[in-house]
Structure formats: structure tokens, C-alpha cells
Amino acid sequence: AVVPAFFPSISKCKKGNGVDYRGTEAKTQTGVQCQKWADNAPHKPNYTPEKYPNAGLEENYCRNPDNDAKGPWCYTTDPATRFDYCNIPECEAARHRF
């Protein structure tokens, strides 16, 4: 789907715990590919697009459907790791000069 450039929630950063994050990061903080939210393998998700239609669970993008304090996460394609967090930068931090 083509998303208009002005669509406010497409962003490379998260605010707070990233519950509203709708960017396209699809790898965990350790670089493992995320499993698609609609897939049942290698992990059977508790959070699915059907059960959580407003959580933005599209493709295999990192999301925070359960309001996790540690931020966006995804089920991983690694059978040994059910889920992991994603490395999404804070929006505010992006403006600071270091």
C-alpha cells in the first residue's frame, strides 16, 4: 500500500514506549528478522492483526501491541527466541547534538 508522505504515524522513531510506532523496522535489536504477525510459525502469536486491529500489526514490523514499557518488539524467525525488542530510537533524542 502506498502511504501519503504526510501520514503522521510513519516514522523512524518512537515516542515514549512506542505504542504508536508505525515505522517499518523489521529486525530485532540483535539483527534477527521479525516473524510476520499473521504467521503461526515458528511462533504462534498471542497478538494477531485479527485480535488487535488497531495495533498496526502489519507485515513483520516492530510494534508494541501490549504497551510494553521496553518499547516495540516482534516475534522472531528464530525458533529458539520467541520475541525480542527492536532498536527504535526515541524521537526526542534525534534532535540533540552529541
Side-chain angles (χ1 to χ4, degrees):
V2 176
V3 178
F6 58 82
F7 197 75
S9 59
I10 295 298
S11 173
K12 292 190 185 321
C13 61
K14 66 181 168 68
K15 295 179 187 72
N17 68 359
V19 75
D20 295 327
Y21 173 73
R22 294 293 182 270
T24 55
E25 182 59 58
K27 283 194 171 75
T28 69
Q29 57 195 356
T30 56
V32 179
Q33 190 76 28
C34 292
Q35 172 183 312
K36 289 193 172 171
W37 292 97
D39 285 358
N40 279 320
H43 307 286
K44 187 161 174 37
N46 299 343
Y47 294 90
T48 62
E50 294 76 33
K51 281 201 250 180
Y52 296 86
N54 299 323
L57 303 181
E58 58 223 353
E59 297 299 325
N60 61 340
Y61 302 143
C62 300
R63 293 290 183 261
N64 191 356
D66 58 345
N67 212 6
D68 191 308
K70 291 184 179 163
W73 56 273
C74 66
Y75 296 106
T76 84
T77 51
D78 174 2
T81 307
R82 179 165 169 77
F83 80 98
D84 199 1
Y85 295 100
C86 304
N87 195 11
I88 315 289
E90 282 283 339
C91 292
E92 290 77 21
R95 286 200 294 268
H96 296 299
R97 291 175 192 268
F98 294 108

